[in-house]
Amino acid sequence: MAAEPGARRLLNISSFWLCCLLLLGRREPGAAAARSGSPPQSPGASIRTFTPFYFLVEPVDTLSIRGSSVILNCSAYSEPSPKIEWKKDGTFLNLVSDDRRQLLPDGSLFISNVVHSKHNKLDEGYYQCVATVESLGTIVSRTAKLTVAGLPRFASQPEPSSAYAGNSAILNCDVNADLVPFVRWEQNRQPILLDDRVIKLPSGTLVISNVTEGDEGLYRCVVESGGPPKSSDEAELKVLPDPEVTSNLMFLKQPSSLVRVIGQSAVLPCVASGLPPPTVRWMKNEETLDTESSERLVLLAGGSLGISDITEDDAGTYFCIADNGNETIEAQAELTVQAQPEFLKQPANIYAHESMDIVFECEVTGKPTPTVKWVKNGDMVIPSDYFKIVKEHNLQVLGLVKSDEGFYQCIAENDVGNVQAGAQLIILEHAPATTGPLPSAPRDVVASLVSTRFIKLTWRTPASDPHGDNLTYAVFYSKEGIARERVENTSRPGEMQVTIQNLMPATVYIFRVTAQNKHGSGESSPPLRVETQPEVQLPGPAPNIRAYTSSPTSITVTWETPLSGNGEIQNYKLYYMEKGTDKEQDVDVASLSYTINGLKKYTEYSFRVVAYNKHGPGVSTQDVAVRTLSDVPSAAPQNLSLEVRNSKSIMIHWQPPPPATQNGQITGYKIRYRKASRKSDVTETLVTGTQLSQLIEGLDRGTEYNFRVAALTINGTGPATDWLSAETFESDLDETRVPEVPSSLHVRPLVTSIVVSWTPPENQNIVVRGYAIGYGIGSPHAQTIKVDYKQRYYTIENLDPSSHYVITLKAFNNVGEGIPLYESAVTRPHTVPDPTPMMPPVGVQASILSHDTIRITWADNSLPKHQKITDSRYYTVRWKTNIPANTKYKNANATTLNYLVTGLKPNTLYEFSVMVTKGRRSSTWSMTAHGTTFELVPTSPPKDVTVVSKEGKPRTIIVNWQPPSEANGKITGYIIYYSTDVNAEIHDWVIEPVVGNRLTHQIQELTLDTPYYFKIQARNSKGMGPMSEAVQFRTPKASGSSGKGSRLPDLGSDYKPPMSGSNSPHGSPTSPLDSSILLVIIVSVGVITIVVVVIIAVFCTRRTTSHQKKKRAACKSVNGSHKYKGNSKDVNPPDLWIHHERLELKPIDKSPDPNPIMTDTPIPRNSQDITPVDNSMDSNIHQRRNSYRGHESEDSMSTLAGRRGMRPKMMMPFDSQPPQPVISAHPIHSLDNPHHHFHSSSLASPARSHLYHPGSPWPIGTSMSLSDRANSTESVRNTPSTDTMPASSSQTCCTDHQDPEGATSSSYLASSQEEDSGQSLPTAHVRPSHPLKSFAVPAIPPPGPPTYDPALPSTPLLSQQALNHHVHAVKTASIGTLGRSRPPMPVVVPSAPEVQETTRMLEDSESSYEPDELTKEMAHLEGLMKDLNAITTA
C-alpha cells in the first residue's frame, strides 16, 4: 500500500522539523497555529506528533440481488488498530447479535442472504464505515448505497414482428432498471451470442441489424437474478423477402435523453427501418461526428451511438439522422454529464494552543455543485459563534479549548456521490516554566478606547520587572458567561497595548493580561469587564433589492449601494433560505448582484442583503421571496392501482408524485393503456386538474389491459409509471355480497418462509378483488398481506425457524372480506451446526441494595486476569422469582461485569444467572445466585374486611380480614380502628391492636342499634401501611330470646332497659311473664327490701365513732354505688394508687389475685417480649398486670362504650413500650347499667373525673357537660347528687386519704364545678343522658392462688421496667381523647366483682353518720335497695 510509506515519510519529515525548531529557538507564545508537522513547542515540553489515521478502502455503491451475499469493503489504518463499526441510514448497526450481518477481520461488512421484498426492504439503504481509536478520535468513510434488485417483472413482453431482409429488427423486453444487467436473450430456447450485428441495448432491448433468414425464430428474454430464471413470452420474428418496392422510412427506436457521470459509458439508441434500408449518421451541436476515427465514439448495430469514458465535453444535444436516398428523418436527445465531488484542496493537520483561532481549509468541485459539511470525531459540526463556515467551505474554530482536539473531516456531496478528507487538530500544552523568576501580573489594565466593534487595552509593566523591555504579553478575552477564551498577542516585546477586533456591539467582554519572559508565562491580571458601545456607524439597508429566476435551479439577486454607508462598503453578505425551513445560508458578495445556482425546482426562496463596512455588518434589507421556474416532473405518480369494475370498465387510482419531484404545479395526468395480449395501439386519456382517479370504459370482455400514468406540468410530461395490468371480467359478476371461502389452501414450510398456494372460491359469480393472507405464531392475526385476485401463491418470508404458524386466507371485494380458511405449519429447523459454546460466567453474586434493587456481579474466566473486556462480547442477565411458580424469566444485556437490576418486588427471593455471548458463540447459563430484597412498608391495606355479629351476642361483633396483597414483608401486627362517626379525625377513633398471625378479632359491649365504621391497618418491620376503606356495620336492635342472634321488636330510641339482668351482656334469657304478675312481684320484693334497709340505717345512725371515721364514711357514701356484672366470677381487682406528680399507676395490693385472666392482648414489640403463661408467676407480676373478664371467655374481646356509654379501653400502640410498669385500671361503668361496682376508696366527684399524664394539659378520661348530668338524674340511683354534697366535704375526703409518702392519692379526680368550661369537651359514643365514666380503685382482693383459663388464646403483657432507649411517640386514639396527645399506656378493663364480694365489702366497712348526713346516706341506700331488688328478681 503506497499510502503507508508516504505516511511514514511525512512522519519522519515532521520529526525532523520538530528537532530543527527546538534547536533554532523558541516560538513566541500565542503565535498562529502550526500546520502539518511543525508543533510550536518550547523546551521541556513533550513532543506530540500527528497520528496517521485514514481509510485504506472505503465502501462503494453496490447492486445486489435478493438472497445473495454482499461485502461492503472498509479498511482503516492507524497505530493502534482502529475499531470498525457500521452505520446504516445514520444509525449504528448491532452486529454482535446479528446472524446475517458480520464484521470481517479487516473491517468490511458481510451480509449473507440479502433480504428484500415488497414490504420488507431490510438491507437496502446507505451504509457508512466508522473507525475509532480510543484517546485519539473517530473518522467516517464516504456513504455507499446498497441497491437490491427487485423481483423480475416484465413491463412489456417481446411482441411478434417481421422485418425485410437487410433491414433492422428490434425486440423489446422492459424490466426493472436494476435488473437490466441480468437480462439475456434466447432464440428457439438457445442463448444468443452478441456481436457487432446483434446487440443488447442498456434498456434490455435486442437489436438485430441486416436481418437474414437465419434470424427467424422464437425469441424470448430471460432474467437471471439469483432465483430461478424468469422468462418472458416468446415472440416470433419473421424475415420477409425484399418486395422490390419502397416503403416509408421510420424509427423503430429513437434516442432518449441521458444523464451520465464522467468516466461512465453511454448508448444513444437509434434504429430505423425502410426500403431501401437506411444509413444512420450522428451530429452534435450541428457538427457531424466522426465515428470511424474516434476511439471513444462507435456506431453500433442498427445505428445506435456508443460513447465510452465520458468527459465534460461530451455534454450536449445529439441528432440521429436516417437517410435511405428517398427521404430523411431525424431524432434528437440530450446528454447531460455530471461529475462526482473532487477535492481541489484538502484540510491539513494543525498544531495549536488553547484560546487560539484556527481555520481548516477545504476546496471542492463537482457537478452539480457539491455541498460541504464538516464532521468532528464522527459528529456533525453545527455552525455557531465559535464554529463558522468561512469562504463557502472552510471551517473556522475560535477560542480553542482542549475538547476541540481530534479529527475533522470535510465531506463533499452531490447527486452523483460523496467524498471525504480529514485532518487532525492537536492542542499543545504550554511549556513548563524553566528555572528562573516569572513575571508578576501586569498592572493597571484599562480599556483606553471602547468602540462598537473593537476595544483597545493598555497596561503597565509588572512590578517584578519595571522596565519590561524583554516581556511579551498575551491578552485573553471572552464573552461574559461563555467558557471559550480567545487570545491576542502583542506584536513585539515591550509593547503594552493591543487592539481587539471583530467584537459585537453592546456586548460585555472579560479581559485579562499575562506577561511572558524567557522562563515562561507569569501571573494573570485581575479580570477587566468592558462593554462595547452600541452600533452607530454601520451601513444602512441596501435599496432596491430584487430577485428573479433565470432557470428552474437558479435565482439572480440584485441591489444598490446603501444610501448611508457610513464609510466605504467592504462587501455584502447575501442570505437566502428555502421557505418552510429554518436553515439560512449565506454567501459573501463583492458586487451588487449574485446568481445562486443549485436550487430546487419550483421552490420558493427568501433573500436579504447585509452591507459590511469597517465597523461590521449593517442593517439588513427586507426579505424578498421568489420561486424558481417550474419544470417537468422528475418522478412518476405513486401508488398506481387498478380496480376491475365489470366486464367493460376498469377504475384507475393513483397519487401525485412526491412533492419534491413535482417541479411545478401539476396541471393534469396522462393515462396510456393498451391490450396486453398482442401488439395494439396505445390509447391516451388526459385528466385535468387534481383528479386522482379515472374510469376507463368501453373495454373488451375478458381482456387484459396494460396501464401507465404520467404527471403533467405547463413544461411538459414527466416520467410515467411502470405498466400495470388488469383483466376485465368475462361477464358482469355480483358484488352485492362478500366472496365465499376459497376452495383450497395449501402450505409448504421452509426454514424461514412458508409458501402458501390456494384456489379461488367455487362460486365464480361473485367478484373477488383480492386475497388477504394473515399469519402469526399461534395466531393468524399478527400480520396481514393483501395480494391481487389473479395471484394463486405467495411466499411468507422472514419467519422464525422451528416455529408453529397459523395461516388464514380470505377473499375480499368492495363489500368486505369473506369466510376465512385456516391452515397451520411448522417451519423447518436450522441445519447450521451450533458454534462451540463459551465458558459460562463464574462467581455470580447478588448484593441487595434496597427494596427493589439488587446488583449482580460476576467474573469471566475467558477474559485476561485483569478482567478487562476488549472485544464485542456481551452478557445476558436473567432473573425470576418462584412465587408464583410459573413466573417467566426477565432478561437484560450488559457489556460490563456487573448489572443493576431494578424494579423488583420488596421482600422477595429472586434467583439470578448470567450467560456470555460473543459473535455467534454463547455460553450456558451460570450457576444461580439468590437474593432477597429488603422489606418495605405495606403499600396496600388489608383486604376483604368483613364485620359480622356474633351469634347470640348482639353487642359483640367479629371482624375478619385478609393480609394485604402487597405486604412487602412479614406482617407483625394489625390495628383496628372503629368509630360511630366515619368523618371523625383518625385520632378520635378507638384502636384495637392485634398480633400479626391473627386474621380475626372480637369486639364486645357495643351499643345496640348503632352504626359503626371499621378500618384496619397492617404493620411490618418497616412501619405502618395504608388503612383500608371504612366498612359500616349496624349492631342489632336487641338480643334475641334464643341467644342465636334473633332480634327483639324495635322499642324506639327512648326505650330504657329494665333494671334486671335480662339485658346483661351474656344474653341470659328471661321467661315471658304476665305484666301484672311481674309488677306484683317487683312491688313485693321492693317493700321487703325497703324495710331491711331502714333497719340497717337506723342501726348505723346509733353508732358513734371519731370525727375521722365520719369523714371516711362520708367519702365512702359518695363512691359506694358502682355497678358490676352480676354474673361475674369471684374476682377481686387490686387497689390502685394514681400518682399525681409522675402520673403513673402503682399497685398497692401485694396479695395475689384469685383469678387473673387476660382478655386483651396488646401487641408486644418483638418476640422477646412474649413469655409463656404458667401458674408459677409471682404475685408482683399479677399485681402489675391484673386484668379481669366476665362470664364469657371469648378470643381477643374488648369493649367500646356500652349501651349507656362504657369507657373505652386505651391500648398501647405497636411502636411504644410503657415507660412505667404496666398496670390495669378499672373504668366505672355508667350508673344505669344493671351491674354495680363497689370500691373501698372514695371519689371526689361522681360526675366528673380525669386521668392525667405528665405534660398533658387535657384529661384522658371522658368529660361531660352540666346539661348531660342534668339529663341523667333519673339514671343515678345510689349516688347522691353533687348539688346536695358540699364541695368541701368532697375535697376533705380526697385529702384525708393520702399515701404515707405524700405522693399518691386514692383517686385523681376533680369536681366538675372546679374545671374550666372550656374543658367540657364532647365525648364520642357517650349518650347525653348518661353519667360520666371515670377510673376508680377497686377494693383489695382477698389472697388466693392465681389461676388462668387455658382456653383463652391471649398473651399476658410482661411487666416492663422503664426503658433507657428512645420510645417512639405514636399517637393513639380512643373515644373520649378528642385528639389530645398522651404517652401510650395500656389500660385494660377488668370484670366487676361478684355480688357476694359486694356484700362482704358492705359488711367490712365501718361507717358512722352524723344526723345531718343521714339524708344523703338514705338516698344512697335507697339506690342500693333498688339494685338488690333487681338482683333478687334475677
Side-chain angles (χ1 to χ4, degrees), residues 313-382:
D313 296 334
D314 293 328
T317 303
Y318 290 78
F319 296 86
C320 172
I321 303 172
D323 186 8
N324 65 353
N326 294 331
E327 59 179 320
T328 301
I329 58 175
E330 72 176 30
Q332 69 179 35
E334 186 81 12
L335 175 61
T336 303
V337 178
Q338 296 181 333
Q340 289 190 351
E342 286 185 84
F343 286 103
L344 301 178
K345 188 172 186 179
Q346 296 188 10
N349 297 333
I350 296 178
Y351 284 110
H353 288 285
E354 286 190 65
S355 303
M356 292 176 58
D357 302 338
I358 62 165
V359 175
F360 284 109
E361 297 181 345
C362 180
E363 295 184 21
V364 295
T365 184
K367 188 176 181 180
T369 302
T371 60
V372 171
K373 62 182 180 181
W374 285 86
V375 171
K376 178 205 169 189
N377 288 335
D379 296 326
M380 185 78 66
V381 174
I382 301 175

Side-chain angles (χ1 to χ4, degrees), residues 548-736:
Y548 58 90
T549 58
S550 52
S551 75
T553 60
S554 62
I555 293 178
T556 300
V557 184
T558 64
W559 58 92
E560 297 178 2
T561 304
L563 300 178
S564 57
N566 292 322
E568 180 185 358
I569 301 298
Q570 296 180 342
N571 71 310
Y572 299 88
K573 183 160 287 191
L574 173 61
Y575 295 88
Y576 63 98
M577 179 172 62
E578 179 183 346
K579 184 179 180 181
T581 65
D582 56 358
K583 182 180 180 181
E584 189 175 48
Q585 303 180 63
D586 61 83
V587 59
D588 292 330
V589 182
S591 61
L592 298 178
S593 66
Y594 189 81
T595 300
I596 302 176
N597 298 308
L599 302 178
K600 296 181 181 179
K601 298 178 181 179
Y602 197 69
T603 302
E604 185 174 351
Y605 289 86
S606 63
F607 301 85
R608 64 183 181 93
V609 175
V610 176
Y612 279 71
N613 63 8
K614 62 180 180 179
H615 301 296
V619 181
S620 172
T621 64
Q622 295 294 325
D623 288 356
V624 294
V626 68
R627 186 185 296 271
T628 53
L629 296 178
S630 63
D631 199 356
V632 297
S634 55
Q638 307 176 90
N639 302 330
L640 178 64
S641 62
L642 305 176
E643 178 185 338
V644 181
R645 286 294 180 89
N646 50 47
S647 60
K648 292 189 177 182
S649 64
I650 295 177
M651 175 65 78
I652 309 175
H653 298 273
W654 65 89
Q655 293 295 321
T661 63
Q662 293 180 8
N663 301 335
Q665 190 72 34
I666 300 295
T667 59
Y669 296 88
K670 181 183 292 185
I671 302 173
R672 304 180 69 191
Y673 63 94
R674 68 187 182 190
K675 292 182 180 180
S677 57
R678 56 186 176 84
K679 185 176 181 180
S680 61
D681 295 334
V682 176
T683 304
E684 288 187 357
T685 299
L686 291 178
V687 177
T688 59
T690 58
Q691 184 177 336
L692 297 177
S693 63
Q694 179 67 27
L695 182 64
I696 307 297
E697 298 179 295
L699 305 178
D700 296 340
R701 294 174 180 268
T703 305
E704 184 178 6
Y705 286 87
N706 293 334
F707 296 84
R708 69 194 308 179
V709 181
L712 302 175
T713 63
I714 58 175
N715 303 87
T717 306
T721 63
D722 293 335
W723 288 101
L724 189 62
S725 61
E727 184 177 353
T728 56
F729 299 138
E730 288 287 347
S731 60
D732 292 334
L733 303 180
D734 178 19
E735 200 173 2
T736 61

Side-chain angles (χ1 to χ4, degrees), residues 277-511:
T279 58
V280 176
R281 58 188 175 90
W282 285 86
M283 296 182 65
K284 176 194 173 188
N285 300 334
E286 299 181 353
E287 293 182 5
T288 302
L289 297 177
D290 185 5
T291 58
E292 294 181 358
S293 60
S294 175
E295 295 179 357
R296 297 190 304 107
L297 303 178
V298 61
L299 196 63
L300 303 175
S304 298
L305 178 64
I307 308 174
S308 60
D309 194 17
I310 290 178
T311 65
E312 275 189 282
D313 296 334
D314 293 328
T317 303
Y318 290 78
F319 296 86
C320 172
I321 303 172
D323 186 8
N324 65 353
N326 294 331
E327 59 179 320
T328 301
I329 58 175
E330 72 176 30
Q332 69 179 35
E334 186 81 12
L335 175 61
T336 303
V337 178
Q338 296 181 333
Q340 289 190 351
E342 286 185 84
F343 286 103
L344 301 178
K345 188 172 186 179
Q346 296 188 10
N349 297 333
I350 296 178
Y351 284 110
H353 288 285
E354 286 190 65
S355 303
M356 292 176 58
D357 302 338
I358 62 165
V359 175
F360 284 109
E361 297 181 345
C362 180
E363 295 184 21
V364 295
T365 184
K367 188 176 181 180
T369 302
T371 60
V372 171
K373 62 182 180 181
W374 285 86
V375 171
K376 178 205 169 189
N377 288 335
D379 296 326
M380 185 78 66
V381 174
I382 301 175
S384 64
D385 291 341
Y386 296 94
F387 287 85
K388 297 184 177 181
I389 305 298
V390 296
K391 294 184 180 179
E392 295 187 356
H393 300 147
N394 297 340
L395 175 65
Q396 182 182 36
V397 185
L398 304 177
L400 290 176
V401 295
K402 187 64 177 177
S403 60
D404 292 334
E405 197 173 67
F407 283 88
Y408 290 77
Q409 290 177 273
C410 176
I411 300 179
E413 184 178 23
N414 63 8
D415 295 340
V416 182
N418 61 90
V419 292
Q420 62 83 24
Q424 185 180 4
L425 170 63
I426 292 181
I427 307 293
L428 296 173
E429 301 288 342
H430 286 287
T434 58
T435 55
L438 296 176
S440 59
R443 295 174 293 174
D444 302 333
V445 178
V446 295
S448 59
L449 182 59
V450 179
S451 181
T452 56
R453 299 281 175 170
F454 67 91
I455 291 177
K456 182 178 180 181
L457 295 180
T458 59
W459 57 88
R460 292 172 56 207
T461 57
S464 61
D465 195 347
H467 299 288
D469 296 334
N470 297 323
L471 296 179
T472 59
Y473 298 89
V475 178
F476 296 88
Y477 65 100
S478 64
K479 284 185 182 180
E480 188 177 48
I482 302 298
R484 283 184 178 270
E485 196 174 50
R486 301 180 63 185
V487 64
E488 187 76 26
N489 298 310
T490 54
S491 57
R492 62 182 181 274
E495 186 177 19
M496 290 180 292
Q497 66 177 20
V498 71
T499 300
I500 308 298
Q501 304 279 355
N502 300 321
L503 302 180
M504 298 297 295
T507 305
V508 177
Y509 290 85
I510 307 298
F511 298 86

Side-chain angles (χ1 to χ4, degrees), residues 1119-1136:
N1119 293 308
S1121 58
H1122 301 295
K1123 300 183 179 181
Y1124 62 97
K1125 292 184 180 181
N1127 294 335
S1128 297
K1129 294 183 179 180
D1130 190 8
V1131 178
N1132 291 320
D1135 288 339
L1136 301 176

Side-chain angles (χ1 to χ4, degrees), residues 861-914:
N861 285 342
S862 61
L863 291 176
K865 290 184 179 180
H866 55 69
Q867 291 285 291
K868 185 176 181 181
I869 302 173
T870 58
D871 50 23
S872 58
R873 71 181 61 199
Y874 67 95
Y875 301 89
T876 302
V877 183
R878 71 174 184 180
W879 65 91
K880 63 169 289 190
T881 177
N882 292 327
I883 303 176
N886 58 349
T887 305
K888 295 183 179 179
Y889 279 101
K890 292 185 178 180
N891 298 278
N893 291 337
T895 56
T896 58
L897 296 177
N898 64 81
Y899 184 76
L900 203 65
V901 183
T902 59
L904 303 177
K905 295 180 180 179
N907 193 42
T908 304
L909 175 63
Y910 286 88
E911 65 176 40
F912 303 87
S913 54
V914 187

Side-chain angles (χ1 to χ4, degrees), residues 181-335:
F182 308 101
V183 173
R184 62 179 177 84
W185 282 88
E186 291 182 354
Q187 179 187 9
N188 298 326
R189 304 293 177 93
Q190 297 298 321
I192 296 177
L193 298 179
L194 303 179
D195 53 22
D196 294 340
R197 193 177 66 87
V198 182
I199 65 170
K200 184 186 73 171
L201 297 178
S203 62
T205 300
L206 183 67
V207 179
I208 306 175
S209 63
N210 194 15
V211 173
T212 62
E213 291 183 359
D215 295 324
E216 277 191 340
L218 296 175
Y219 288 81
R220 68 175 183 178
C221 63
V222 181
V223 180
E224 295 176 323
S225 59
K230 186 170 184 179
S231 303
S232 68
D233 297 338
E234 290 186 330
E236 183 179 9
L237 175 63
K238 293 184 178 180
V239 178
L240 305 177
D242 188 353
E244 298 182 354
V245 295
T246 61
S247 64
N248 292 334
L249 194 60
M250 60 179 294
F251 281 112
L252 300 179
K253 189 76 173 179
Q254 294 190 36
S256 57
S257 297
L258 292 177
V259 177
R260 289 292 183 268
V261 180
I262 292 178
Q264 292 182 345
S265 299
V267 174
L268 295 171
C270 184
V271 180
S273 174
L275 288 177
T279 58
V280 176
R281 58 188 175 90
W282 285 86
M283 296 182 65
K284 176 194 173 188
N285 300 334
E286 299 181 353
E287 293 182 5
T288 302
L289 297 177
D290 185 5
T291 58
E292 294 181 358
S293 60
S294 175
E295 295 179 357
R296 297 190 304 107
L297 303 178
V298 61
L299 196 63
L300 303 175
S304 298
L305 178 64
I307 308 174
S308 60
D309 194 17
I310 290 178
T311 65
E312 275 189 282
D313 296 334
D314 293 328
T317 303
Y318 290 78
F319 296 86
C320 172
I321 303 172
D323 186 8
N324 65 353
N326 294 331
E327 59 179 320
T328 301
I329 58 175
E330 72 176 30
Q332 69 179 35
E334 186 81 12
L335 175 61

